[in-house]
Amino acid sequence: MTQEKNILSDSEKFLNDVFSRHVSSSIISMFGVMASVMANSIIAGKFFGTDGLAVMSVVAPFYSLFATIGALAGVGGATLASHALGRDDFAGANKSFTLSMILSAGIYFFVASVCFVSLDKFLYLLGSSEQIFEMAKEYSTIYIVGGFGITLMYLPYNFFKLIGKLKLLKSMYLAMAAINIFLDIFFVKVLDFGIDGIALGTVISTLGISIFGMKFLLVGESSFKLVKNFDAKSVKKLLKLGTPSALNNLLTFFRLLILNRIIVAAAGSVGLAAFSVFSSLEKFSLVILSGLAQATVAFIGVFSEERDTVSVRRIEKRAHIIGAIFVLPMMFGIIFFATEICNFFGIYDGYKLQIAENAAKIFALSLPPSICCLLMFSYFQAAGFTNLANILVFSRSFLFLILPAYFLTPIYGLNATWFSMTIASIAPLAIMMLVIPHYSRKGYSGIFLQDLSAEKNGNYISFAVKTNPVSITDSVEKISDFCKQNDLTKKEIMLVRLSMEEMLMSISEHCFENIPDEVMDVRILIVKKSEDVMIILRIRNGGKLFNPIDYFEKLSEEDPMAMGDALGIAMIVNAADAIHYKTTFGVNNLTVLIDRKKSDK
């Protein structure tokens, strides 16, 4: 935007730094989750051979089923909470968290009961042969009874990102992986439990870490509170927002069920062993693909509600660049080291090795389109385009994966099954390009379907200002020019100047202790309806947590006559229509709302 460039310099550094921290945290914590799953397959292959790997393929859908519940409640609740925080609705965020807990527990116990009662039928349906049936049943029984840990771990995983507890997030899920691997080996090798020892190790580690994480969500200054006043409308909204992620996991359950039978018909247990390698590589890739995509959700949810379209595009641009940097080396690494990867899973024989190698190499080709696909459906989910997100999920996770595998595998063999993943990752992108014109006719712009009316009309500005008095004073003068260009009254211009100068000075002193080279991000949005004007001022910074409202209230209680720099804050609190402080993504967010009706002028 020309006007924005002429007024103040806009910096991407602050947002990129914050997002990069979230990406690294999300990927590392996702690595912990997937390392546990992959370790189960590796240990099963090392100690129980091909039969052990076949059991892992048979029982894998149960993980997807419990993950479906966790995603529905956890991702849906965190997305709903991010929308609430974007509106400065803290009660709504607490309501979303409470609903997530209730739905996680309620749906899990219902589904687990059904699975436990019908376990034998499920195992045969999942492709279990008589040879591995008892092993699969032992494993599944423990897995189902203790599966609540898998469901529950989605809550800290998603809600920690909202409140910025990134170090704890990484530490928790890396610890879960380490505990899981230790317990697997301890139960199998030391106590000689058999393959059910692997299930027991997974259950104990996931449940223990999940409960530990819930404690930190409920304790501390930025924690969530349990509330009682929730309604059916909130439940419906949460479930809708969680549908894309839940649908992805649910469709994974059904696709594994169908693919297991297709593979068994084509190559028996040897095919299932290769499929176990294929599935493990997919889970490993999700450390990057899903970890990166999920890191964007909280940002997109909050920024969309704030109508910060510039930051939305920057987050998505950054995410796609990071995805390419990680995915391309991964793709070539899998292709060039396919033999060593298969050996790592305990597959050495010529025929078995050839099938598994083909599976690994062909899977690698699906990675580049997969990163775009997963980022886009996570974006549409967080931005509120739930129906479009569901279409992309259904296309990639089921329709365009199952159909090629079902019709082509009998003709071309297992390679057709492996190639179906690449087809399934390209098809949704084509569908997305076909439906974008439909949304464009409704007024949405670009591939991200944004409302760019504020940008096009020139009534917004976003910029970075350094934490020193000279830079702050200079930026305030130029903000006045922006306000004049947008026909604000002298009273409104005066209030904007006062708000920005006082708040920026106070933040510089308390968050950065007057360090001159740090950066604060500012956004001003002017919304005009007829002759009514709403002015929204937002200031973000990554310094020490500082709530200026609490600071003002505390000083006014202690000594109203000697409030120092809080006097400026007091003037803004009294003059503005609303002022809110929150911590989102672990950074300070301050919002000042000036709402002037025609009758006020």
Side-chain angles (χ1 to χ4, degrees):
M1 175 178 163
T2 304
Q3 189 180 47
E4 179 184 350
K5 291 179 182 178
N6 290 338
I7 294 178
L8 289 165
S9 61
D10 199 348
S11 172
E12 298 185 27
K13 184 179 184 301
F14 172 73
L15 185 58
N16 285 342
D17 287 347
V18 173
F19 180 62
S20 295
R21 290 199 299 270
H22 277 259
V23 169
S24 63
S25 176
S26 185
I27 289 175
I28 290 171
S29 54
M30 179 62 73
F31 173 78
V33 175
M34 293 306 173
S36 299
V37 177
M38 289 183 64
N40 290 346
S41 293
I42 293 169
I43 293 170
K46 292 291 185 182
F47 286 99
F48 304 99
T50 303
D51 285 350
L53 285 174
V55 168
M56 292 296 106
S57 292
V58 169
V59 302
F62 288 113
Y63 181 93
S64 298
L65 193 59
F66 296 137
T68 297
I69 303 167
L72 181 66
V75 178
T79 304
L80 187 60
S82 73
H83 289 178
L85 291 173
R87 300 188 304 270
D88 301 309
D89 179 7
F90 306 109
N94 288 329
K95 181 192 297 185
S96 301
F97 174 72
T98 305
L99 285 175
S100 290
M101 287 190 61
I102 294 172
L103 291 172
S104 292
I107 300 175
Y108 159 75
F109 285 112
F110 173 77
V111 172
S113 299
V114 173
C115 290
F116 192 76
V117 171
S118 307
L119 182 56
D120 288 7
K121 294 180 181 178
F122 268 122
L123 290 176
Y124 284 120
L125 195 62
L126 292 171
S128 176
S129 64
E130 291 292 342
Q131 181 180 348
I132 63 170
F133 180 81
E134 288 303 321
M135 293 173 67
K137 186 172 183 179
E138 290 174 4
Y139 191 103
S140 301
T141 300
I142 296 174
Y143 214 48
I144 292 170
V145 172
F148 185 52
I150 298 170
T151 297
L152 190 63
M153 72 179 180
Y154 275 77
L155 267 69
Y157 180 79
N158 288 284
F159 280 93
F160 273 0
K161 297 172 188 175
L162 272 180
I163 58 179
K165 292 188 175 181
L166 303 183
K167 292 182 180 179
L168 182 60
L169 180 68
K170 291 184 287 188
S171 301
M172 268 182 50
Y173 289 98
L174 288 177
M176 183 182 76
I179 294 170
N180 188 11
I181 294 169
F182 170 78
L183 291 178
D184 283 359
I185 296 173
F186 178 75
F187 288 138
V188 171
K189 189 170 184 179
V190 178
L191 299 184
D192 198 25
F193 271 23
I195 201 166
D196 54 330
I198 298 176
L200 187 60
T202 302
V203 164
I204 293 174
S205 60
T206 54
L207 190 58
I209 288 296
S210 297
I211 294 173
F212 178 80
M214 291 301 297
K215 173 187 174 183
F216 285 94
L217 283 175
L218 293 166
V219 176
E221 183 179 348
S222 58
S223 63
F224 294 92
K225 310 299 179 187
L226 297 177
V227 297
K228 297 180 180 179
N229 57 331
F230 50 85
D231 48 58
K233 184 179 179 181
S234 297
V235 174
K236 183 179 178 181
K237 204 168 186 180
L238 185 152
L239 294 176
K240 182 180 180 181
L241 288 170
T243 298
S245 294
L247 182 63
N248 184 46
N249 286 303
L250 184 62
L251 291 175
T252 299
F253 169 81
F254 286 111
R255 102 178 183 211
L256 288 173
L257 186 152
I258 296 171
L259 287 177
N260 278 352
R261 299 186 70 82
I262 292 173
I263 291 168
V264 167
S269 61
V270 174
L272 282 179
F275 187 44
S276 184
V277 175
F278 183 95
S279 297
S280 294
L281 287 175
E282 182 185 11
K283 291 182 175 66
F284 179 75
S285 72
L286 287 175
V287 170
I288 305 298
L289 301 177
S290 187
L292 178 58
Q294 290 177 23
T296 67
V297 170
F299 287 87
I300 301 303
V302 171
F303 291 154
S304 294
E305 287 295 317
E306 293 179 356
R307 293 194 278 186
D308 189 349
T309 51
V310 175
S311 294
V312 166
R313 293 198 299 275
R314 285 177 178 163
I315 288 294
E316 288 299 318
K317 175 185 174 183
R318 184 75 172 173
H320 279 80
I321 291 173
I322 292 173
I325 291 172
F326 278 106
V327 159
L328 293 178
M330 186 191 305
M331 178 183 72
F332 290 114
I334 293 173
I335 292 173
F336 290 132
F337 297 101
T339 301
E340 289 76 10
I341 291 171
C342 295
N343 293 162
F344 190 63
F345 282 87
I347 300 177
Y348 303 98
D349 297 342
Y351 176 60
K352 297 176 183 178
L353 181 60
Q354 182 182 358
I355 293 177
E357 278 183 339
N358 288 341
K361 291 177 180 179
I362 295 172
F363 164 77
L365 300 177
S366 71
L367 290 174
S370 290
I371 189 63
C372 295
C373 201
L374 288 175
L375 281 173
M376 291 311 298
F377 94 62
S378 290
Y379 168 79
F380 290 127
Q381 176 184 9
F385 297 96
T386 310
N387 292 335
L388 182 54
N390 285 333
I391 290 172
L392 296 184
V393 170
F394 180 72
S395 300
R396 181 184 186 273
S397 297
F398 191 79
L399 183 63
F400 289 100
L401 197 157
I402 292 299
L403 289 182
Y406 182 80
F407 288 108
L408 298 180
T409 300
I411 302 173
Y412 298 104
L414 280 179
N415 284 351
T417 305
W418 316 139
F419 269 117
S420 64
M421 177 63 80
T422 303
I423 297 172
S425 297
I426 295 174
L429 299 177
I431 292 173
M432 183 180 68
M433 300 309 295
L434 290 174
V435 302
I436 281 178
H438 167 73
Y439 286 93
S440 297
R441 287 191 290 271
K442 296 183 178 181
Y444 296 105
S445 301
I447 195 172
F448 300 119
L449 307 180
Q450 292 182 301
D451 179 1
L452 300 180
S453 57
E455 289 186 45
K456 292 176 180 177
N457 294 333
N459 51 3
Y460 93 100
I461 184 173
S462 61
F463 61 92
V465 57
K466 290 188 176 181
T467 53
N468 63 72
V470 175
S471 296
I472 292 171
T473 302
D474 185 53
S475 68
V476 170
E477 290 299 324
K478 293 175 182 177
I479 287 170
S480 296
D481 295 336
F482 170 77
C483 293
K484 291 175 184 177
Q485 291 172 15
N486 282 277
D487 300 322
L488 297 188
T489 65
K490 291 183 179 180
K491 180 180 178 181
E492 290 164 351
I493 295 173
M494 178 79 68
L495 189 50
V496 170
R497 283 176 55 95
L498 176 66
S499 299
M500 296 307 301
E501 186 167 12
E502 292 295 336
M503 289 303 183
L504 289 173
M505 288 292 190
S506 183
I507 289 169
S508 175
E509 178 181 346
H510 293 279
C511 296
F512 298 101
E513 297 179 349
N514 293 318
I515 301 173
D517 294 326
E518 295 296 333
V519 173
M520 299 173 284
D521 268 24
V522 175
R523 178 174 169 83
I524 303 175
L525 177 65
I526 300 174
V527 182
K528 296 181 179 180
K529 292 184 179 180
S530 186
E531 294 187 36
D532 297 338
V533 178
M534 179 182 291
I535 307 167
I536 303 171
L537 315 176
R538 292 190 183 274
I539 304 173
R540 290 192 182 94
N541 74 87
K544 294 192 302 183
L545 295 184
F546 168 64
N547 185 338
I549 304 171
D550 285 351
Y551 174 71
F552 154 67
E553 291 177 348
K554 181 180 179 181
L555 289 184
S556 63
E557 289 176 1
E558 292 177 353
D559 188 355
M561 302 302 293
M563 292 199 297
D565 66 332
L567 283 173
I569 300 174
M571 294 168 62
I572 297 166
V573 170
N574 293 327
D577 294 271
I579 178 169
H580 302 287
Y581 169 84
K582 62 188 177 186
T583 56
T584 314
F585 326 126
V587 301
N588 295 290
N589 288 268
L590 183 67
T591 304
V592 179
L593 177 65
I594 304 167
D595 192 1
R596 294 288 175 260
K597 305 298 183 184
K598 181 178 179 182
S599 59
D600 297 332
K601 299 178 183 178

